[in-house]
């Protein structure tokens, strides 16, 4: 009897009346929201407009889903087009089956279309969303847990995954939770890219290339542990070769790009700086108007207090007049006294 293991859910879908709520789909949707949220924060910090990442994601996400599904169906075509299989199942994306390689490739095409429409350099956009994509993958892998798929070899470690389903050739038992390994690795990749981008000010697509290289390094050993059916070339699974090739391409891009285009892009979104300066001007104008209003209020208060302050000069004038009359009255007396003495 095993004392500790990770249980699998009894089912991956809950029906809300006639509407099915699938755990796999929820994981993907939540991952997309996290990627857009983090990407937007990074994009604004780079000098872009808020909301631009979401606008371009409208193009990138559908393309990515289609690309991921196409890669899976093409590389595992026997699951849908062999004898006894129903080709219609190739369209049932909610049952699982998205290849990250196809998702990134075709998703990049969608992002390029969105960036081109906005006059934005694709490498700068890719750098901003790279950590968010890694976190989206980390969340999306939990969809495999709901579907009881993509697990590793049998094991008796305390964190083993319990598989209870026997459909599609599954054998109930305890296996390595490769979905969990990859999820944790993707979180580490996201943190690595964020740190490296702050430390080295990576630009021109190098932060995205670092994400690709780091992910491929982890995917290689995670893929090596999996036991689900896959095509093999020279003793390695097809995805192992893909990870190795993409890793090398990403490293070469980082090296070449750093030599040809060091530093970051000065402008990532045309017009965003003008918007910021316009907002700053509006703030300064508001402050100036407020200061003017305050001065006017002070002047009005001084005017109201002025009659009271003028009371003293009027009193002084009355004293001067009384003093003058006294002196005038004194002069006849002085003349009379002088005549008497004479």
């Amino acid at each position: 009897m095993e004392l500790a293991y990770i249980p699998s859910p009894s089912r991956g879908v809950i029906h809300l009346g006639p509407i099915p709520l699938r755990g796999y789909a929820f994981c993907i949707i939540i991952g997309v929201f996290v990627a857009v949220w983090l990407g937007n924060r990074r994009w604004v910090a780079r000098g872009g407009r808020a909301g631009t990442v979401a606008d371009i994601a409208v193009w990138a996400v559908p393309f990515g889903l289609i690309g991921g599904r196409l890669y899976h169906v093409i590389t595992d075509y026997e699951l849908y087009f062999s004898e006894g299989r129903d080709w219609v199942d190739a369209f049932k994306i909610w049952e699982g089956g998205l290849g990250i390689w196809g998702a990134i490739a075709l998703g990049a095409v969608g992002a390029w279309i969105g960036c081109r429409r906005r006059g934005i350099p694709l490498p700068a956009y890719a750098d901003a969303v790279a950590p968010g994509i890694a976190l989206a993958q980390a969340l999306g892998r939990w969809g495999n847990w709901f579907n009881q798929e993509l697990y590793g070899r049998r094991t008796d470690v305390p964190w083993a995954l319990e598989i209870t389903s026997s459909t599609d050739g599954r054998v109930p038992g305890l296996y390595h939770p490769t979905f969990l390994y990859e999820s944790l690795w993707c979180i580490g990749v996201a943190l690595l890219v964020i740190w490296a981008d702050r430390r080295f000010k990576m630009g021109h697509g190098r932060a995205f290339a670092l994400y690709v290289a780091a992910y491929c390094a982890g995917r290689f050993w995670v893929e090596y542990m999996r036991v689900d059916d896959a095509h093999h070339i020279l003793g390695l699974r097809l995805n192992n070769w893909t990870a190795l090739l993409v890793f090398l391409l990403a490293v070469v891009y980082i090296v070449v790009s750093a030599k040809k285009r060091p530093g970051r892009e000065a402008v990532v979104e045309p017009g965003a700086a003008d918007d910021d300066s316009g907002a700053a001007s509006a703030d300064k104008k508001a402050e100036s108007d407020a200061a003017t209003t305050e001065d006017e209020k002070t002047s009005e208060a001084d005017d109201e207090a002025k009659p009271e302050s003028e009371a003293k000069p009027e009193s002084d004038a009355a004293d001067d007049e009384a003093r003058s009359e006294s002196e005038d009255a004194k002069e006849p007396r002085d003349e009379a006294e002088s005549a008497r003495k004479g």
Side-chain angles (χ1 to χ4, degrees):
M1 178 180 179
E2 299 293 337
L3 297 179
Y5 57 85
I6 301 173
S8 290
S10 57
R11 54 181 177 174
V13 57
I14 299 176
H15 287 85
L16 186 62
I19 303 175
L21 304 178
R22 303 182 182 277
Y24 187 87
F26 268 113
C27 291
I28 293 176
I29 292 172
I30 294 172
V32 169
F33 275 105
V34 170
V36 171
W37 170 79
L38 181 57
N40 181 72
R41 288 176 60 89
R42 287 171 54 80
W43 183 252
V44 172
R46 289 283 300 273
R49 292 188 181 95
T52 296
V53 169
D55 292 342
I56 297 176
V58 171
W59 289 91
V61 172
F63 273 73
L65 291 175
I66 294 173
R69 188 61 175 178
L70 283 175
Y71 181 90
H72 168 73
V73 171
I74 292 173
T75 55
D76 292 305
Y77 62 88
E78 66 279 357
L79 297 177
Y80 307 100
F81 302 105
S82 61
E83 185 177 355
R85 298 284 185 170
D86 187 357
W87 62 272
V88 177
D89 292 341
F91 298 94
K92 297 179 179 179
I93 192 172
W94 56 86
E95 293 183 353
L98 289 175
I100 186 61
W101 316 113
I104 294 297
L106 210 55
V109 173
W112 175 79
I113 295 174
C115 288
R116 185 177 178 82
R117 290 167 61 90
R118 301 289 292 267
I120 292 172
L122 177 61
Y125 180 83
D127 285 340
V129 300
I133 294 176
L135 291 180
Q137 289 178 251
L139 292 167
R141 273 307 177 200
W142 284 85
N144 302 132
W145 177 66
F146 281 101
N147 288 350
Q148 296 197 35
E149 60 185 0
L150 305 187
Y151 45 86
R153 304 184 185 95
R154 284 184 175 273
T155 183
D156 57 358
V157 295
W159 56 88
L161 173 67
E162 181 188 33
I163 296 298
T164 58
S165 174
S166 57
T167 59
D168 295 330
R170 296 185 183 92
V171 178
L174 298 177
Y175 299 87
H176 275 288
T178 52
F179 83 91
L180 177 61
Y181 299 159
E182 187 169 339
S183 178
L184 295 175
W185 183 269
C186 287
I187 294 174
V189 170
L191 296 176
L192 171 65
V193 174
I194 292 173
W195 171 81
D197 194 27
R198 290 178 178 175
R199 175 67 176 81
F200 302 105
K201 305 297 182 183
M202 307 180 77
H204 301 286
R206 289 188 289 275
F208 183 81
L210 176 61
Y211 144 71
V212 172
Y215 171 75
C216 289
R219 179 62 185 266
F220 186 90
W221 66 266
V222 171
E223 187 75 21
Y224 190 76
M225 296 181 65
R226 284 168 49 174
V227 295
D228 53 302
D229 293 333
H231 296 286
H232 286 72
I233 300 176
L234 299 178
L236 288 178
R237 296 164 65 95
L238 174 61
N239 283 332
N240 281 116
W241 288 108
T242 304
L244 181 60
L245 175 62
V246 176
F247 171 83
L248 293 175
L249 291 175
V251 172
V252 170
Y253 179 87
I254 292 174
V255 174
V256 174
S257 175
K259 291 182 178 180
K260 289 188 174 182
R261 307 185 71 181
R264 278 183 173 176
E265 299 87 347
V267 177
V268 297
E269 184 169 4
D274 296 338
D275 294 345
D276 294 340
S277 62
S281 298
D283 292 340
K284 290 182 179 179
K285 185 177 183 301
E287 292 176 359
S288 177
D289 293 343
T292 302
T293 303
E294 186 66 25
D295 292 341
E296 292 175 352
K297 291 181 179 179
T298 303
S299 178
E300 291 175 358
D302 292 342
D303 292 340
E304 291 176 359
K306 188 174 181 180
E308 298 178 0
S309 64
E310 289 179 348
K312 183 176 180 180
E314 290 178 357
S315 177
D316 294 342
D319 293 341
D320 292 341
E321 185 178 351
R323 192 179 302 109
S324 178
E325 293 176 355
S326 176
E327 290 176 355
D328 292 341
K330 182 179 180 183
E331 288 177 359
R333 288 197 301 271
D334 291 342
E335 292 177 358
E337 182 68 23
S338 177
R340 186 179 62 79
K341 290 180 179 180

